[in-house]
Amino acid sequence: MGAGHTHPMYVHGHSSVHHFAPEVKIAASVLFTVVVVATPRELLPAFGAYALIVAALAVLARIPAGWLARRSLIELPFVATAVLLPFFAAGPRTDVLGLSVAVEGLWAGWNILVKGTLGVLIALLLAGTTPARDVLVGLDRLRTPQAITQIALFMLRYLDVLADEARRMRIARLSRLDDPRFLWQVRGFAAGLGTLFLRAFERGERVFLAMRSRGYTGRLPAALHEGSVATARQWAIGAVVPALAVVVLLADRFLV
């Protein structure tokens, strides 16, 4: 219960980025992503500059390129959409490598691909340098609605418990010669999911009542906030990342 959970995405390290307060990293990541999304898709040099900023952050955080590449595979469905768009979009067409593709589809696919990739990479850098518990603390310090942080906190604490219970239920089914690979056993699988949901709901009720009896007020425990709070210097350094992105956007928009 009291364990400090580190999620599989976290890369243990001692870089300066790891030691920054979580609220600074969250705010910088969100603002950087907003600037990237707001950039017109035609400003190709700007996206190259954004990629250099992300690469510099990865070097500062000592996050291996291979780790980023493997975790980036999560965006494969969006990559597939971006690749298919030029072939199915309407409008004027052009030839690329001997294939007839729509110009608007090319731009739309590029827009999805580059912005999605940069967003995923900056999110991975945040996850790789910030333990899950610290992310929740940072969100709480940034005045995120309590309902969101509380739900996330309980999910973080009890996800492993539920996964363990689901694993035990699966072993019990297999020991009774049940094989979930067969289609006609979907009913049993669905019943198991329903049972797991009911157990999770009942456990949540018991835990909530136990916490209320111990003075729970609906806010994150004060012990979670005992870590380093952002200093003015950290806020100033963290602001450099979105500020650089804004400078790149303005320079490409008005000077090129």
PDB file of all heavy atoms in Angstrom, residues 119-139:
ATOM      1  N   GLY A 119       4.843  14.672 -30.257  1.00  0.00           N
ATOM      2  CA  GLY A 119       4.066  14.586 -29.024  1.00  0.00           C
ATOM      3  C   GLY A 119       4.380  13.321 -28.240  1.00  0.00           C
ATOM      4  O   GLY A 119       4.521  13.358 -27.015  1.00  0.00           O
ATOM      5  N   VAL A 120       4.492  12.200 -28.950  1.00  0.00           N
ATOM      6  CA  VAL A 120       4.815  10.936 -28.275  1.00  0.00           C
ATOM      7  C   VAL A 120       6.211  11.002 -27.659  1.00  0.00           C
ATOM      8  O   VAL A 120       6.428  10.561 -26.525  1.00  0.00           O
ATOM      9  CB  VAL A 120       4.711   9.764 -29.275  1.00  0.00           C
ATOM     10  CG1 VAL A 120       5.350   8.504 -28.695  1.00  0.00           C
ATOM     11  CG2 VAL A 120       3.259   9.494 -29.619  1.00  0.00           C
ATOM     12  N   LEU A 121       7.174  11.557 -28.381  1.00  0.00           N
ATOM     13  CA  LEU A 121       8.542  11.620 -27.873  1.00  0.00           C
ATOM     14  C   LEU A 121       8.651  12.493 -26.629  1.00  0.00           C
ATOM     15  O   LEU A 121       9.332  12.130 -25.660  1.00  0.00           O
ATOM     16  CB  LEU A 121       9.477  12.146 -28.970  1.00  0.00           C
ATOM     17  CG  LEU A 121       9.738  11.193 -30.139  1.00  0.00           C
ATOM     18  CD1 LEU A 121      10.590  11.871 -31.199  1.00  0.00           C
ATOM     19  CD2 LEU A 121      10.429   9.913 -29.658  1.00  0.00           C
ATOM     20  N   ILE A 122       7.982  13.643 -26.635  1.00  0.00           N
ATOM     21  CA  ILE A 122       8.060  14.510 -25.458  1.00  0.00           C
ATOM     22  C   ILE A 122       7.349  13.864 -24.274  1.00  0.00           C
ATOM     23  O   ILE A 122       7.779  13.990 -23.115  1.00  0.00           O
ATOM     24  CB  ILE A 122       7.496  15.922 -25.766  1.00  0.00           C
ATOM     25  CG1 ILE A 122       8.030  16.950 -24.753  1.00  0.00           C
ATOM     26  CG2 ILE A 122       5.998  15.923 -25.774  1.00  0.00           C
ATOM     27  CD1 ILE A 122       9.486  17.241 -24.889  1.00  0.00           C
ATOM     28  N   ALA A 123       6.263  13.128 -24.545  1.00  0.00           N
ATOM     29  CA  ALA A 123       5.565  12.413 -23.468  1.00  0.00           C
ATOM     30  C   ALA A 123       6.439  11.284 -22.918  1.00  0.00           C
ATOM     31  O   ALA A 123       6.466  11.031 -21.712  1.00  0.00           O
ATOM     32  CB  ALA A 123       4.241  11.862 -23.980  1.00  0.00           C
ATOM     33  N   LEU A 124       7.177  10.610 -23.793  1.00  0.00           N
ATOM     34  CA  LEU A 124       8.074   9.545 -23.350  1.00  0.00           C
ATOM     35  C   LEU A 124       9.210  10.101 -22.496  1.00  0.00           C
ATOM     36  O   LEU A 124       9.625   9.477 -21.514  1.00  0.00           O
ATOM     37  CB  LEU A 124       8.639   8.794 -24.556  1.00  0.00           C
ATOM     38  CG  LEU A 124       7.673   7.862 -25.288  1.00  0.00           C
ATOM     39  CD1 LEU A 124       8.320   7.305 -26.553  1.00  0.00           C
ATOM     40  CD2 LEU A 124       7.236   6.721 -24.376  1.00  0.00           C
ATOM     41  N   LEU A 125       9.713  11.267 -22.876  1.00  0.00           N
ATOM     42  CA  LEU A 125      10.767  11.889 -22.069  1.00  0.00           C
ATOM     43  C   LEU A 125      10.245  12.242 -20.677  1.00  0.00           C
ATOM     44  O   LEU A 125      10.950  12.084 -19.675  1.00  0.00           O
ATOM     45  CB  LEU A 125      11.297  13.135 -22.778  1.00  0.00           C
ATOM     46  CG  LEU A 125      12.171  12.891 -24.006  1.00  0.00           C
ATOM     47  CD1 LEU A 125      12.585  14.206 -24.647  1.00  0.00           C
ATOM     48  CD2 LEU A 125      13.412  12.079 -23.634  1.00  0.00           C
ATOM     49  N   LEU A 126       9.015  12.723 -20.622  1.00  0.00           N
ATOM     50  CA  LEU A 126       8.408  13.021 -19.320  1.00  0.00           C
ATOM     51  C   LEU A 126       8.251  11.757 -18.488  1.00  0.00           C
ATOM     52  O   LEU A 126       8.608  11.717 -17.307  1.00  0.00           O
ATOM     53  CB  LEU A 126       7.051  13.699 -19.516  1.00  0.00           C
ATOM     54  CG  LEU A 126       6.214  13.930 -18.252  1.00  0.00           C
ATOM     55  CD1 LEU A 126       6.935  14.889 -17.303  1.00  0.00           C
ATOM     56  CD2 LEU A 126       4.836  14.470 -18.609  1.00  0.00           C
ATOM     57  N   ALA A 127       7.722  10.699 -19.124  1.00  0.00           N
ATOM     58  CA  ALA A 127       7.513   9.442 -18.400  1.00  0.00           C
ATOM     59  C   ALA A 127       8.831   8.791 -18.011  1.00  0.00           C
ATOM     60  O   ALA A 127       8.942   8.173 -16.948  1.00  0.00           O
ATOM     61  CB  ALA A 127       6.690   8.482 -19.261  1.00  0.00           C
ATOM     62  N   GLY A 128       9.843   8.927 -18.864  1.00  0.00           N
ATOM     63  CA  GLY A 128      11.123   8.289 -18.589  1.00  0.00           C
ATOM     64  C   GLY A 128      11.926   8.958 -17.496  1.00  0.00           C
ATOM     65  O   GLY A 128      12.825   8.344 -16.921  1.00  0.00           O
ATOM     66  N   THR A 129      11.624  10.221 -17.205  1.00  0.00           N
ATOM     67  CA  THR A 129      12.398  10.951 -16.194  1.00  0.00           C
ATOM     68  C   THR A 129      11.591  11.266 -14.931  1.00  0.00           C
ATOM     69  O   THR A 129      12.133  11.880 -14.012  1.00  0.00           O
ATOM     70  CB  THR A 129      12.911  12.281 -16.782  1.00  0.00           C
ATOM     71  OG1 THR A 129      11.800  13.068 -17.244  1.00  0.00           O
ATOM     72  CG2 THR A 129      13.857  12.035 -17.940  1.00  0.00           C
ATOM     73  N   THR A 130      10.322  10.834 -14.902  1.00  0.00           N
ATOM     74  CA  THR A 130       9.466  11.172 -13.766  1.00  0.00           C
ATOM     75  C   THR A 130       8.698   9.934 -13.301  1.00  0.00           C
ATOM     76  O   THR A 130       7.911   9.383 -14.075  1.00  0.00           O
ATOM     77  CB  THR A 130       8.450  12.267 -14.153  1.00  0.00           C
ATOM     78  OG1 THR A 130       9.114  13.305 -14.868  1.00  0.00           O
ATOM     79  CG2 THR A 130       7.783  12.836 -12.924  1.00  0.00           C
ATOM     80  N   PRO A 131       8.904   9.470 -12.078  1.00  0.00           N
ATOM     81  CA  PRO A 131       8.112   8.347 -11.567  1.00  0.00           C
ATOM     82  C   PRO A 131       6.620   8.684 -11.584  1.00  0.00           C
ATOM     83  O   PRO A 131       6.227   9.850 -11.490  1.00  0.00           O
ATOM     84  CB  PRO A 131       8.624   8.168 -10.125  1.00  0.00           C
ATOM     85  CG  PRO A 131       9.979   8.783 -10.121  1.00  0.00           C
ATOM     86  CD  PRO A 131       9.909   9.930 -11.098  1.00  0.00           C
ATOM     87  N   ALA A 132       5.801   7.649 -11.709  1.00  0.00           N
ATOM     88  CA  ALA A 132       4.356   7.858 -11.827  1.00  0.00           C
ATOM     89  C   ALA A 132       3.796   8.623 -10.637  1.00  0.00           C
ATOM     90  O   ALA A 132       2.945   9.501 -10.775  1.00  0.00           O
ATOM     91  CB  ALA A 132       3.653   6.507 -11.970  1.00  0.00           C
ATOM     92  N   ARG A 133       4.289   8.304  -9.440  1.00  0.00           N
ATOM     93  CA  ARG A 133       3.798   9.007  -8.252  1.00  0.00           C
ATOM     94  C   ARG A 133       4.107  10.498  -8.333  1.00  0.00           C
ATOM     95  O   ARG A 133       3.291  11.350  -7.973  1.00  0.00           O
ATOM     96  CB  ARG A 133       4.427   8.417  -6.990  1.00  0.00           C
ATOM     97  CG  ARG A 133       3.757   8.866  -5.711  1.00  0.00           C
ATOM     98  CD  ARG A 133       4.676   8.729  -4.523  1.00  0.00           C
ATOM     99  NE  ARG A 133       5.754   9.709  -4.562  1.00  0.00           N
ATOM    100  CZ  ARG A 133       6.480  10.060  -3.510  1.00  0.00           C
ATOM    101  NH1 ARG A 133       6.241   9.505  -2.349  1.00  0.00           N
ATOM    102  NH2 ARG A 133       7.440  10.946  -3.611  1.00  0.00           N
ATOM    103  N   ASP A 134       5.308  10.833  -8.844  1.00  0.00           N
ATOM    104  CA  ASP A 134       5.694  12.240  -8.952  1.00  0.00           C
ATOM    105  C   ASP A 134       4.857  12.967 -10.005  1.00  0.00           C
ATOM    106  O   ASP A 134       4.599  14.166  -9.881  1.00  0.00           O
ATOM    107  CB  ASP A 134       7.178  12.357  -9.297  1.00  0.00           C
ATOM    108  CG  ASP A 134       8.072  11.962  -8.127  1.00  0.00           C
ATOM    109  OD1 ASP A 134       7.525  11.733  -7.031  1.00  0.00           O
ATOM    110  OD2 ASP A 134       9.297  11.878  -8.314  1.00  0.00           O
ATOM    111  N   VAL A 135       4.448  12.242 -11.042  1.00  0.00           N
ATOM    112  CA  VAL A 135       3.573  12.859 -12.043  1.00  0.00           C
ATOM    113  C   VAL A 135       2.265  13.292 -11.386  1.00  0.00           C
ATOM    114  O   VAL A 135       1.762  14.399 -11.636  1.00  0.00           O
ATOM    115  CB  VAL A 135       3.300  11.880 -13.208  1.00  0.00           C
ATOM    116  CG1 VAL A 135       2.235  12.444 -14.143  1.00  0.00           C
ATOM    117  CG2 VAL A 135       4.583  11.613 -13.986  1.00  0.00           C
ATOM    118  N   LEU A 136       1.715  12.425 -10.544  1.00  0.00           N
ATOM    119  CA  LEU A 136       0.468  12.766  -9.851  1.00  0.00           C
ATOM    120  C   LEU A 136       0.671  13.944  -8.905  1.00  0.00           C
ATOM    121  O   LEU A 136      -0.193  14.824  -8.798  1.00  0.00           O
ATOM    122  CB  LEU A 136      -0.044  11.554  -9.077  1.00  0.00           C
ATOM    123  CG  LEU A 136      -0.455  10.344  -9.930  1.00  0.00           C
ATOM    124  CD1 LEU A 136      -0.895   9.200  -9.038  1.00  0.00           C
ATOM    125  CD2 LEU A 136      -1.553  10.720 -10.898  1.00  0.00           C
ATOM    126  N   VAL A 137       1.801  13.952  -8.207  1.00  0.00           N
ATOM    127  CA  VAL A 137       2.095  15.078  -7.314  1.00  0.00           C
ATOM    128  C   VAL A 137       2.208  16.371  -8.114  1.00  0.00           C
ATOM    129  O   VAL A 137       1.688  17.423  -7.717  1.00  0.00           O
ATOM    130  CB  VAL A 137       3.391  14.811  -6.528  1.00  0.00           C
ATOM    131  CG1 VAL A 137       3.817  16.058  -5.756  1.00  0.00           C
ATOM    132  CG2 VAL A 137       3.199  13.646  -5.569  1.00  0.00           C
ATOM    133  N   GLY A 138       2.884  16.301  -9.260  1.00  0.00           N
ATOM    134  CA  GLY A 138       3.014  17.486 -10.103  1.00  0.00           C
ATOM    135  C   GLY A 138       1.677  17.989 -10.607  1.00  0.00           C
ATOM    136  O   GLY A 138       1.417  19.199 -10.614  1.00  0.00           O
ATOM    137  N   LEU A 139       0.807  17.062 -10.997  1.00  0.00           N
ATOM    138  CA  LEU A 139      -0.529  17.463 -11.447  1.00  0.00           C
ATOM    139  C   LEU A 139      -1.312  18.116 -10.312  1.00  0.00           C
ATOM    140  O   LEU A 139      -2.040  19.092 -10.524  1.00  0.00           O
ATOM    141  CB  LEU A 139      -1.286  16.246 -11.985  1.00  0.00           C
ATOM    142  CG  LEU A 139      -0.787  15.665 -13.301  1.00  0.00           C
ATOM    143  CD1 LEU A 139      -1.514  14.366 -13.617  1.00  0.00           C
ATOM    144  CD2 LEU A 139      -0.994  16.668 -14.443  1.00  0.00           C
TER     145      LEU A 139
END
